[in-house]
Amino acid sequence: MASAPELPPLNRQFVAHFGEMGSKWGINRTVGQIYALIFLSERALNADEIAEMLEFSRSNVSMGLKELQAWRLVHLRHHAGDRREYFEAPKDVWEIFRVLAEERRRREIEPTLSMLRNALLESPTSDAERHAQARMREMHDLIDRLMKWFDDVQRLAPETAMQLMGMGATVTKVLTLKDRLTGGASKKSSKGPAGDS
């Protein structure tokens, strides 16, 4: 079996950085580095190649690949006449972002929304609980609105979504103008931020 090619310095730098960032995103360093290597690769890689290139144990690579498959961030491929499994990242970066966001939503945001919905169904028995429930409703409504917006964005074609993201300053100007025309800004400022006296 031919040995895997050595990583070029630029690729090695990206892989190392992705490993460091992985821990901040809730995945371990090894998984982050494996994903970065697969993402940059021009072809699908098998576990032996990944282990050799990154100088990881084969068992660590196998566990990392299972985790990446659970996150739906790598696709499994087979080559004719080769019994080994090969892995590749989706080619479209927008698809990677979409899948990652969906998985984080399923694992982190939906349980929070579910807890908030249940808490809002409770009958408060004191002023403290009424206050807490009102705060929870604010949080629920914001998260729920963000998720509905995210669903709308996900239905857009990638090109349209990229255009929408590029319109940040323009959208802000339009909303500011709308507030001036409808008096929305003055209504908000008259209330003041929560906790102001």
Side-chain angles (χ1 to χ4, degrees), residues 7-25 27-38 40 53-54 56:
L7 275 181
L10 185 64
N11 298 42
R12 191 169 288 282
Q13 182 183 342
F14 180 80
V15 167
H17 176 74
F18 228 76
E20 290 167 18
M21 292 307 297
S23 58
K24 294 178 173 64
W25 299 332
I27 59 173
N28 75 42
R29 179 186 297 265
T30 301
V31 175
Q33 289 182 325
I34 291 169
Y35 189 69
L37 178 69
I38 294 170
L40 292 181
M53 288 169 142
L54 296 177
F56 290 162

Short mmCIF file of all heavy atoms in Angstrom, two decimals, residues 7-25 27-38 40 53-54 56:
data_model
loop_
_atom_site.label_atom_id
_atom_site.label_comp_id
_atom_site.label_asym_id
_atom_site.label_seq_id
_atom_site.Cartn_x
_atom_site.Cartn_y
_atom_site.Cartn_z
N LEU A 7 1.26 16.32 4.37
CA LEU A 7 0.43 17.53 4.28
C LEU A 7 1.28 18.75 3.96
O LEU A 7 2.30 18.99 4.62
CB LEU A 7 -0.28 17.78 5.60
CG LEU A 7 -1.59 17.06 5.86
CD1 LEU A 7 -2.13 17.49 7.21
CD2 LEU A 7 -2.60 17.34 4.79
N PRO A 8 0.88 19.56 2.96
CA PRO A 8 1.58 20.82 2.71
C PRO A 8 1.42 21.77 3.91
O PRO A 8 0.44 21.65 4.66
CB PRO A 8 0.88 21.40 1.48
CG PRO A 8 0.10 20.28 0.89
CD PRO A 8 -0.21 19.33 2.01
N PRO A 9 2.35 22.70 4.10
CA PRO A 9 2.29 23.60 5.28
C PRO A 9 0.97 24.35 5.42
O PRO A 9 0.45 24.49 6.53
CB PRO A 9 3.46 24.57 5.03
CG PRO A 9 4.41 23.81 4.17
CD PRO A 9 3.57 22.91 3.31
N LEU A 10 0.41 24.83 4.31
CA LEU A 10 -0.85 25.60 4.38
C LEU A 10 -1.98 24.70 4.89
O LEU A 10 -2.78 25.12 5.74
CB LEU A 10 -1.20 26.18 3.01
CG LEU A 10 -2.42 27.10 2.96
CD1 LEU A 10 -2.19 28.35 3.80
CD2 LEU A 10 -2.73 27.50 1.52
N ASN A 11 -2.04 23.48 4.37
CA ASN A 11 -3.07 22.53 4.81
C ASN A 11 -2.88 22.20 6.29
O ASN A 11 -3.84 22.15 7.06
CB ASN A 11 -3.00 21.25 3.99
CG ASN A 11 -3.28 21.48 2.52
OD1 ASN A 11 -2.80 22.44 1.94
ND2 ASN A 11 -4.04 20.58 1.90
N ARG A 12 -1.63 21.97 6.69
CA ARG A 12 -1.33 21.63 8.09
C ARG A 12 -1.75 22.76 9.03
O ARG A 12 -2.28 22.53 10.12
CB ARG A 12 0.17 21.33 8.23
CG ARG A 12 0.54 20.71 9.56
CD ARG A 12 1.97 20.18 9.56
NE ARG A 12 2.13 18.99 8.75
CZ ARG A 12 1.75 17.76 9.12
NH1 ARG A 12 1.17 17.60 10.29
NH2 ARG A 12 1.94 16.73 8.34
N GLN A 13 -1.55 24.00 8.59
CA GLN A 13 -1.94 25.16 9.40
C GLN A 13 -3.46 25.20 9.60
O GLN A 13 -3.95 25.43 10.70
CB GLN A 13 -1.47 26.43 8.68
CG GLN A 13 -1.76 27.71 9.42
CD GLN A 13 -1.33 28.94 8.60
OE1 GLN A 13 -0.53 28.83 7.66
NE2 GLN A 13 -1.86 30.09 8.95
N PHE A 14 -4.21 24.95 8.52
CA PHE A 14 -5.67 24.94 8.59
C PHE A 14 -6.16 23.82 9.49
O PHE A 14 -7.04 24.01 10.33
CB PHE A 14 -6.25 24.79 7.18
CG PHE A 14 -7.75 24.77 7.14
CD1 PHE A 14 -8.48 25.94 7.20
CD2 PHE A 14 -8.44 23.57 7.03
CE1 PHE A 14 -9.87 25.93 7.15
CE2 PHE A 14 -9.83 23.54 6.98
CZ PHE A 14 -10.54 24.72 7.05
N VAL A 15 -5.58 22.63 9.33
CA VAL A 15 -5.97 21.47 10.13
C VAL A 15 -5.71 21.73 11.61
O VAL A 15 -6.55 21.45 12.47
CB VAL A 15 -5.21 20.21 9.64
CG1 VAL A 15 -5.35 19.06 10.64
CG2 VAL A 15 -5.74 19.78 8.27
N ALA A 16 -4.55 22.30 11.95
CA ALA A 16 -4.22 22.59 13.34
C ALA A 16 -5.20 23.61 13.93
O ALA A 16 -5.67 23.45 15.06
CB ALA A 16 -2.79 23.12 13.43
N HIS A 17 -5.51 24.64 13.16
CA HIS A 17 -6.44 25.67 13.65
C HIS A 17 -7.83 25.08 13.87
O HIS A 17 -8.48 25.37 14.88
CB HIS A 17 -6.52 26.82 12.64
CG HIS A 17 -7.52 27.87 13.04
ND1 HIS A 17 -7.30 28.76 14.07
CD2 HIS A 17 -8.77 28.13 12.59
CE1 HIS A 17 -8.36 29.55 14.21
NE2 HIS A 17 -9.26 29.18 13.33
N PHE A 18 -8.28 24.24 12.95
CA PHE A 18 -9.61 23.64 13.07
C PHE A 18 -9.69 22.76 14.31
O PHE A 18 -10.72 22.71 14.97
CB PHE A 18 -9.93 22.83 11.82
CG PHE A 18 -11.28 23.13 11.25
CD1 PHE A 18 -11.51 24.30 10.55
CD2 PHE A 18 -12.33 22.24 11.43
CE1 PHE A 18 -12.77 24.58 10.03
CE2 PHE A 18 -13.59 22.51 10.92
CZ PHE A 18 -13.81 23.68 10.22
N GLY A 19 -8.58 22.09 14.63
CA GLY A 19 -8.54 21.29 15.84
C GLY A 19 -8.70 22.15 17.09
O GLY A 19 -9.44 21.81 18.01
N GLU A 20 -8.01 23.30 17.11
CA GLU A 20 -8.12 24.21 18.25
C GLU A 20 -9.52 24.78 18.37
O GLU A 20 -10.07 24.91 19.47
CB GLU A 20 -7.11 25.35 18.09
CG GLU A 20 -5.66 24.93 18.27
CD GLU A 20 -4.68 25.99 17.81
OE1 GLU A 20 -5.09 27.16 17.69
OE2 GLU A 20 -3.51 25.64 17.57
N MET A 21 -10.12 25.13 17.24
CA MET A 21 -11.46 25.71 17.26
C MET A 21 -12.51 24.67 17.62
O MET A 21 -13.55 25.00 18.20
CB MET A 21 -11.80 26.33 15.90
CG MET A 21 -10.98 27.55 15.55
SD MET A 21 -11.02 28.83 16.83
CE MET A 21 -12.75 29.28 16.84
N GLY A 22 -12.25 23.40 17.29
CA GLY A 22 -13.22 22.35 17.55
C GLY A 22 -13.67 22.31 19.00
O GLY A 22 -14.87 22.19 19.28
N SER A 23 -12.73 22.46 19.93
CA SER A 23 -13.09 22.42 21.35
C SER A 23 -14.01 23.57 21.73
O SER A 23 -14.85 23.45 22.61
CB SER A 23 -11.84 22.43 22.22
OG SER A 23 -11.08 23.58 21.96
N LYS A 24 -13.88 24.69 21.04
CA LYS A 24 -14.76 25.84 21.32
C LYS A 24 -16.16 25.62 20.75
O LYS A 24 -17.12 26.23 21.18
CB LYS A 24 -14.15 27.12 20.74
CG LYS A 24 -12.85 27.52 21.42
CD LYS A 24 -12.26 28.78 20.80
CE LYS A 24 -11.06 29.29 21.56
NZ LYS A 24 -9.92 28.40 21.56
N TRP A 25 -16.26 24.74 19.74
CA TRP A 25 -17.56 24.45 19.11
C TRP A 25 -18.22 23.20 19.67
O TRP A 25 -19.25 22.76 19.18
CB TRP A 25 -17.40 24.29 17.60
CG TRP A 25 -16.88 25.49 16.90
CD1 TRP A 25 -17.02 26.80 17.26
CD2 TRP A 25 -16.11 25.51 15.69
NE1 TRP A 25 -16.39 27.62 16.38
CE2 TRP A 25 -15.82 26.86 15.38
CE3 TRP A 25 -15.63 24.53 14.83
CZ2 TRP A 25 -15.09 27.25 14.27
CZ3 TRP A 25 -14.90 24.91 13.72
CH2 TRP A 25 -14.64 26.25 13.44
N ILE A 27 -16.73 20.07 19.86
CA ILE A 27 -16.20 18.80 19.36
C ILE A 27 -14.73 18.71 19.77
O ILE A 27 -14.09 19.73 20.00
CB ILE A 27 -16.33 18.65 17.82
CG1 ILE A 27 -15.59 19.78 17.10
CG2 ILE A 27 -17.78 18.58 17.40
CD1 ILE A 27 -15.54 19.62 15.60
N ASN A 28 -14.20 17.49 19.89
CA ASN A 28 -12.82 17.42 20.36
C ASN A 28 -11.83 17.73 19.24
O ASN A 28 -12.17 17.74 18.06
CB ASN A 28 -12.54 16.09 21.07
CG ASN A 28 -12.41 14.92 20.13
OD1 ASN A 28 -11.80 14.99 19.06
ND2 ASN A 28 -12.99 13.80 20.52
N ARG A 29 -10.60 17.98 19.65
CA ARG A 29 -9.54 18.42 18.73
C ARG A 29 -9.33 17.42 17.59
O ARG A 29 -9.20 17.80 16.44
CB ARG A 29 -8.25 18.60 19.52
CG ARG A 29 -7.06 19.05 18.70
CD ARG A 29 -5.81 19.06 19.55
NE ARG A 29 -5.93 20.03 20.64
CZ ARG A 29 -5.46 21.27 20.57
NH1 ARG A 29 -4.84 21.69 19.49
NH2 ARG A 29 -5.60 22.09 21.58
N THR A 30 -9.31 16.13 17.93
CA THR A 30 -9.07 15.09 16.92
C THR A 30 -10.14 15.13 15.83
O THR A 30 -9.83 15.09 14.64
CB THR A 30 -9.06 13.69 17.59
OG1 THR A 30 -8.03 13.68 18.57
CG2 THR A 30 -8.81 12.60 16.58
N VAL A 31 -11.40 15.22 16.23
CA VAL A 31 -12.52 15.25 15.27
C VAL A 31 -12.41 16.49 14.39
O VAL A 31 -12.61 16.42 13.17
CB VAL A 31 -13.88 15.20 16.01
CG1 VAL A 31 -15.04 15.36 15.03
CG2 VAL A 31 -14.02 13.89 16.78
N GLY A 32 -12.08 17.63 15.00
CA GLY A 32 -11.91 18.86 14.21
C GLY A 32 -10.82 18.74 13.17
O GLY A 32 -10.98 19.16 12.02
N GLN A 33 -9.70 18.12 13.55
CA GLN A 33 -8.59 17.97 12.61
C GLN A 33 -8.93 16.98 11.50
O GLN A 33 -8.58 17.21 10.33
CB GLN A 33 -7.33 17.53 13.36
CG GLN A 33 -6.77 18.65 14.22
CD GLN A 33 -5.49 18.25 14.92
OE1 GLN A 33 -5.30 17.11 15.32
NE2 GLN A 33 -4.58 19.20 15.09
N ILE A 34 -9.61 15.89 11.85
CA ILE A 34 -10.02 14.92 10.83
C ILE A 34 -10.93 15.60 9.82
O ILE A 34 -10.78 15.44 8.60
CB ILE A 34 -10.72 13.71 11.48
CG1 ILE A 34 -9.71 12.88 12.29
CG2 ILE A 34 -11.39 12.83 10.42
CD1 ILE A 34 -10.34 11.81 13.17
N TYR A 35 -11.90 16.39 10.33
CA TYR A 35 -12.83 17.04 9.40
C TYR A 35 -12.10 18.04 8.51
O TYR A 35 -12.36 18.10 7.30
CB TYR A 35 -13.97 17.75 10.15
CG TYR A 35 -15.01 18.20 9.16
CD1 TYR A 35 -15.79 17.26 8.50
CD2 TYR A 35 -15.16 19.53 8.84
CE1 TYR A 35 -16.71 17.64 7.56
CE2 TYR A 35 -16.08 19.92 7.88
CZ TYR A 35 -16.86 18.97 7.25
OH TYR A 35 -17.76 19.34 6.28
N ALA A 36 -11.19 18.81 9.07
CA ALA A 36 -10.45 19.80 8.28
C ALA A 36 -9.66 19.11 7.17
O ALA A 36 -9.62 19.60 6.03
CB ALA A 36 -9.51 20.59 9.19
N LEU A 37 -9.04 17.97 7.48
CA LEU A 37 -8.27 17.23 6.49
C LEU A 37 -9.18 16.75 5.35
O LEU A 37 -8.86 16.92 4.17
CB LEU A 37 -7.58 16.02 7.15
CG LEU A 37 -6.78 15.13 6.20
CD1 LEU A 37 -5.54 15.85 5.69
CD2 LEU A 37 -6.38 13.83 6.90
N ILE A 38 -10.33 16.17 5.71
CA ILE A 38 -11.27 15.68 4.69
C ILE A 38 -11.81 16.83 3.87
O ILE A 38 -11.95 16.74 2.65
CB ILE A 38 -12.41 14.88 5.37
CG1 ILE A 38 -11.84 13.60 6.00
CG2 ILE A 38 -13.51 14.54 4.37
CD1 ILE A 38 -12.83 12.87 6.90
N LEU A 40 -10.42 19.65 3.07
CA LEU A 40 -9.44 20.19 2.12
C LEU A 40 -9.03 19.20 1.03
O LEU A 40 -8.49 19.61 0.01
CB LEU A 40 -8.17 20.63 2.87
CG LEU A 40 -8.28 21.82 3.81
CD1 LEU A 40 -6.93 22.11 4.45
CD2 LEU A 40 -8.82 23.06 3.11
N MET A 53 -1.62 10.57 7.76
CA MET A 53 -1.39 12.00 7.50
C MET A 53 -1.39 12.83 8.78
O MET A 53 -0.63 13.78 8.92
CB MET A 53 -2.45 12.55 6.54
CG MET A 53 -2.32 12.08 5.11
SD MET A 53 -3.82 12.56 4.21
CE MET A 53 -3.14 13.00 2.66
N LEU A 54 -2.29 12.48 9.71
CA LEU A 54 -2.42 13.26 10.94
C LEU A 54 -1.60 12.67 12.10
O LEU A 54 -1.56 13.27 13.18
CB LEU A 54 -3.89 13.36 11.35
CG LEU A 54 -4.81 14.12 10.38
CD1 LEU A 54 -6.25 14.08 10.87
CD2 LEU A 54 -4.35 15.56 10.19
N PHE A 56 -2.34 10.03 13.83
CA PHE A 56 -3.29 9.62 14.87
C PHE A 56 -3.37 8.10 14.87
O PHE A 56 -3.08 7.46 13.86
CB PHE A 56 -4.69 10.17 14.59
CG PHE A 56 -4.84 11.66 14.76
CD1 PHE A 56 -5.93 12.31 14.19
CD2 PHE A 56 -3.92 12.41 15.46
CE1 PHE A 56 -6.09 13.68 14.33
CE2 PHE A 56 -4.07 13.78 15.61
CZ PHE A 56 -5.16 14.41 15.04
#
